Amino acid sequence: MPLATSLAIFQSCNITGVPKSTRCAILRDMAKVRKAERRPPLNKTHKLKRQDWAKKYLKTDFSKVLWTDEMRVSLDGPDGWARGWIGKGQRAPVRLRRQQGGGGVLVWAGIIKDELVGPFRVEDGVKLNSQSYCQFLEDTFKQWYRKKSASFKKNMIFMQDNAPSHASKYSTAWLARKGIKEEKLMTWPPCSPDLNPIENLWSIIKCEIYKEGKQYTSLNSVWEAVVAAARNVDGEQIKTLTESMDGRLLSVLAKKGGYIGR
């Protein structure tokens, strides 16, 4: 009975009259409280495209792929994260309640093999459309890319998702002028955040910056926390993420295009 209450679980076993505190104490030995995962819906076309993508890249050397994405971090963090144990007689700490998490910062980063590219902060107030996205890459990604050797540039594959600012003709043409085109620009299946290993990096960073229900008072302070957390992610952790891709592709094929665990 996934996501059932303790009362419903005990009633399904024909056990009644047990206090909630006792029910929870018993269940903690065999289960955990979890929220349902939110994922975009997958239809038949999406699943077929995910399978085609997996077949196309099954023999790819994923150490050559730069996995990129944006993440938004708010001052208050994700809903439901400020939960934890407190001692008897202690009062729960007070949390600020602010609209839309108090505002936030948009962050871009990439990972390739065992290297983290960034993170870089999108200027406050800038909405990423095709033009601003390409200008952002010009100011950040390009500075990293231009320092790489000719052989690195020749073999690198650039991955981005299908956000409108990424997949537009304007952005595709901009990347092509930088030599990132055709087989050097990875095609991406729809509704597939579970296939991008950088999503796991975002989870690592968010767990660190919001641990113990931490909130922030300014956009600069939450950005500084992101930078500090990113610095603590070592090359071995990143390598574990990028080396997970062979398994992800096999899982997609095994599940006939269905979602895989991240």
Side-chain angles (χ1 to χ4, degrees):
M1 300 174 63
L3 302 182
T5 64
S6 63
L7 178 60
I9 293 172
F10 273 67
Q11 287 178 339
S12 70
C13 299
N14 296 320
I15 302 174
T16 59
V18 181
K20 181 179 179 181
S21 58
T22 303
R23 297 196 305 264
C24 292
I26 293 172
L27 290 174
R28 284 191 197 100
D29 290 334
M30 62 187 76
K32 294 182 179 180
V33 177
R34 287 288 185 267
K35 294 174 64 176
E37 292 187 28
R38 295 183 179 182
R39 292 173 172 174
L42 284 179
N43 59 34
K44 184 177 180 180
T45 300
H46 294 155
K47 291 181 180 180
L48 288 173
K49 288 185 176 181
R50 284 164 59 90
Q51 290 181 78
D52 290 342
W53 177 85
K55 292 174 183 175
K56 178 178 179 179
Y57 291 103
L58 195 56
K59 295 183 179 181
T60 299
D61 180 357
F62 289 112
S63 68
K64 310 295 186 186
V65 178
L66 176 65
W67 308 92
T68 74
D69 194 20
E70 294 93 15
M71 166 185 70
R72 186 170 182 81
V73 291
S74 66
L75 300 186
D76 293 345
D79 292 339
W81 278 35
R83 300 178 64 182
W85 296 95
I86 59 172
K88 289 183 177 180
Q90 292 182 323
R91 297 185 61 184
V94 176
R95 281 180 62 82
L96 300 174
R97 291 187 62 183
R98 298 176 283 200
Q99 290 186 341
Q100 297 185 3
V105 172
L106 188 62
V107 179
W108 180 97
I111 55 175
I112 181 168
K113 196 175 181 180
D114 58 357
E115 182 179 359
L116 172 63
V117 183
F120 298 110
R121 178 178 178 177
V122 177
E123 185 178 347
D124 298 341
V126 172
K127 182 177 181 180
L128 281 188
N129 55 29
S130 300
Q131 289 77 14
S132 59
Y133 174 63
C134 292
Q135 185 59 55
F136 175 81
L137 293 181
E138 181 79 32
D139 297 336
T140 55
F141 159 74
K142 185 182 175 183
Q143 307 309 311
W144 168 84
Y145 186 65
R146 70 194 306 177
K147 297 176 184 177
K148 295 298 182 179
S149 66
S151 62
F152 178 93
K153 295 176 183 177
K154 179 181 178 181
N155 294 313
M156 192 198 81
I157 300 172
F158 186 87
M159 174 272 154
Q160 59 183 3
D161 64 23
N162 295 320
S165 59
H166 300 171
S168 69
K169 291 182 179 179
Y170 183 96
S171 298
T172 302
W174 184 90
L175 288 168
R177 290 195 295 273
K178 310 303 176 184
I180 302 173
K181 57 184 177 180
E182 299 171 350
E183 294 304 313
K184 289 176 57 59
L185 180 60
M186 179 176 279
T187 57
W188 193 248
C191 304
S192 298
D194 57 320
L195 300 181
N196 189 351
I198 202 173
E199 294 290 346
N200 300 84
L201 174 67
W202 295 148
S203 296
I204 292 170
I205 290 175
K206 285 184 176 181
C207 285
E208 177 63 25
I209 68 175
Y210 295 123
K211 65 182 179 182
E212 300 178 355
K214 186 172 178 60
Q215 292 179 288
Y216 296 87
T217 57
S218 69
L219 298 182
N220 284 338
S221 63
V222 72
W223 164 243
E224 290 169 0
V226 169
V227 173
R231 286 174 179 164
N232 288 331
V233 179
D234 60 36
E236 283 302 312
Q237 287 176 284
I238 295 172
K239 189 176 180 181
T240 297
L241 299 181
T242 57
E243 287 185 345
S244 71
M245 289 310 302
D246 289 321
R248 295 185 195 224
L249 269 65
L250 292 174
S251 295
V252 169
L253 295 174
K255 294 190 176 184
K256 300 185 185 303
Y259 276 123
I260 63 173
R262 281 196 257 168

